[in-house]
Amino acid sequence: MALPQSELEREEKITAPVALQQPLLTVHHGRTPARVVCKWVGVLLIAVGLYGFMSPMLEAQQRGAHNFIHIIAGVLSFAAARLPAARSVRAFSVSAGAFFLAIGVVGFALAENASGLWVLVPGVIEFGIHDQWIHLLSGAAWMGSGLIGLKKGV
């Protein structure tokens, strides 16, 4: 037979209010298309940026600033995949997709010669034909994945 608890012991077992029991931030890591694409495009851009720094073959087309921009964009994309709200991930995907698609289209339109080189800032930011394709493909992947769950609310 259990002994009756004192008043003090009963007070210690009172639980916190329901609002305090809920986590302040619920991170949803469901595999939505936008999350998956943000993660993998982020990894791709980080790899492209690092490769640009290490490869002397690309030196003429990719300068340090351009490689650094690829790395920053990759880190932002990878971080966006970890955002708690799926709506925020989609917003990043659509925004980044529109930006990268625009850079890709403008890059092809303003290319100075058959090699596809577009010089934005001479010696600092120059876009080669490979960059145009990376921008177009990354932009299309981001844009498509961001638009995919709009009607479903994913």
Side-chain angles (χ1 to χ4, degrees):
M1 178 176 213
L3 297 172
Q5 296 178 334
S6 71
E7 185 103 9
L8 181 61
E9 288 175 339
R10 274 187 258 137
E11 286 180 357
E12 291 175 352
K13 292 187 178 184
I14 294 175
T15 59
V18 174
L20 295 177
Q21 292 177 3
Q22 300 297 322
L24 295 176
L25 178 65
T26 303
V27 179
H28 172 71
H29 294 290
R31 290 180 51 136
T32 65
R35 283 187 201 283
V36 172
V37 168
C38 278
K39 181 175 93 174
W40 288 108
V41 169
V43 169
L44 170 76
L45 289 174
I46 292 169
V48 165
L50 292 174
Y51 181 73
F53 276 123
M54 293 185 273
S55 172
M57 181 178 73
L58 293 177
E59 181 106 11
Q61 292 181 358
Q62 286 194 335
R63 304 290 181 190
H66 191 183
N67 294 323
F68 186 68
I69 290 169
H70 277 162
I71 292 170
I72 294 298
V75 168
L76 289 173
S77 182
F78 195 81
R82 308 285 297 167
L83 290 172
R87 175 179 278 166
S88 299
V89 181
R90 281 195 323 269
F92 175 86
S93 291
V94 170
S95 300
F99 182 73
F100 267 61
L101 282 170
I103 289 175
V105 169
V106 169
F108 275 120
L110 298 180
E112 295 178 358
N113 52 37
S115 69
L117 186 64
W118 172 37
V119 179
L120 185 61
V121 179
V124 179
I125 300 178
E126 300 174 349
F127 300 96
I129 190 75
H130 296 100
D131 295 311
Q132 315 310 354
W133 284 110
I134 288 170
H135 296 153
L136 284 176
L137 294 174
S138 299
W142 268 324
M143 181 69 79
S145 70
L147 295 176
I148 282 178
L150 286 181
K151 283 194 173 188
K152 297 177 190 174
V154 175

